[in-house]
Amino acid sequence: LNIIPKPEAKNLNKILCDSENIGLILFDLNTIKNEINNQNDTTIHFYTDNSYTSEITSPINISNNQIIYTKVISKDGCINNSTITFTLSTHTLLTSAPFQICKNDGVVGEFDLYLKSKEISSMLGISENEIKYFETLENAKNNLNALTGTYLNNSKRTFIYATSTSIEKCKTYIEIPLIENLNPIITIQDEYIKCKNSSVEIDLNQSYKEIIWSTGEKNVESISITNPGKYSVTVSNESC
């Protein structure tokens, strides 16, 4: 008994550019055969129905969310099936890693856009000087009120957007999450007085993610000082 495996048949999700928002795109399914199965000894047939009765033999008008059904046949006659789901879009929207800053409470967040340019240029496949930033996706689509330099988040936005300077149809836009982390506050005295041969306790009276005292002690909220001198403490919460 010789068992022959079924040929590979990958399910695909394809986004087609509908720049004029017409709702139909003429598409040749033969151009994506290798994405379904790249073996030379197989044949691939396309159908509009999951009963595999209405075969597609020429380019077809694709509508949004349309599903095309495939039948992959190996040289030995084994059959496998898959689907292609199409989405029509006037643009592509990607999301970058969050853009995080540290700031004091009550202060407007300042985002240096230059610090994000390397990541955005890599995502878009362009040089850094071809990037444009915008407060909203609509502004980005219409090329209105581009942002430059340091963005002051007066409107307390949670996203801004980036794209290329090109005028190509169906552009790619990057959604950039904005996160404003607050700098931790240390509430201790600048000076402590102690009596000779005694000690004084310095207590932060607050917990932090990380605490480093100049005495070498770590992640303790209070320390006892016996010798006079200058001491310091560094604290952090999250990335601040």
Side-chain angles (χ1 to χ4, degrees), residues 12-171:
L12 302 179
N13 291 289
K14 304 296 292 183
I15 298 175
L16 300 182
C17 175
D18 184 15
S19 60
E20 304 300 327
N21 203 22
I22 296 172
L24 289 174
I25 295 294
L26 187 65
F27 188 74
D28 185 356
L29 296 167
N30 290 315
T31 60
I32 57 173
K33 278 186 173 181
N34 284 342
E35 296 182 46
I36 301 166
N37 183 299
N38 61 4
Q39 296 171 342
N40 295 326
D41 56 356
T42 59
T43 57
I44 301 177
H45 300 270
F46 301 99
Y47 300 85
T48 58
D49 62 311
N50 58 7
S51 298
Y52 302 96
T53 56
S54 301
E55 186 172 1
I56 303 166
T57 57
S58 59
I60 182 177
N61 279 318
I62 298 292
S63 59
N64 191 39
N65 296 323
Q66 184 171 351
I67 298 175
I68 298 297
Y69 301 87
T70 75
K71 181 185 291 184
V72 181
I73 307 173
S74 70
K75 65 177 181 178
D76 301 300
C78 293
I79 297 174
N80 202 359
N81 303 105
S82 66
T83 60
I84 311 166
T85 302
F86 286 95
T87 301
L88 303 189
S89 177
T90 57
H91 65 276
T92 299
L93 183 62
L94 305 176
T95 302
S96 74
F99 193 173
Q100 300 193 55
I101 62 166
C102 295
K103 67 161 198 168
N104 293 328
D105 193 16
V107 175
V108 175
E110 298 184 13
F111 294 84
D112 184 351
L113 300 178
Y114 174 77
L115 299 178
K116 202 67 176 172
S117 294
K118 184 175 181 179
E119 177 190 354
I120 300 301
S121 67
S122 177
M123 293 180 71
L124 291 174
I126 59 176
S127 64
E128 293 184 25
N129 59 11
E130 294 178 281
I131 301 171
K132 297 185 78 172
Y133 294 93
F134 299 87
E135 269 197 327
T136 67
L137 182 58
E138 283 304 309
N139 282 358
K141 289 180 179 179
N142 295 301
N143 195 28
L144 294 174
N145 304 319
L147 307 173
T148 57
T150 298
Y151 172 59
L152 299 179
N153 193 14
N154 292 298
S155 301
K156 298 182 178 180
R157 295 189 178 276
T158 54
F159 296 97
I160 57 173
Y161 297 84
T163 189
S164 67
T165 56
S166 72
I167 56 173
E168 63 181 337
K169 296 180 179 179
C170 293
K171 291 177 68 172

Side-chain angles (χ1 to χ4, degrees), residues 184-187 203-208 211 221 237:
I185 298 174
I186 302 176
T187 53
D203 195 337
L204 296 175
N205 294 309
Q206 189 173 344
S207 60
Y208 302 91
I211 303 171
E221 293 180 24
N237 284 331

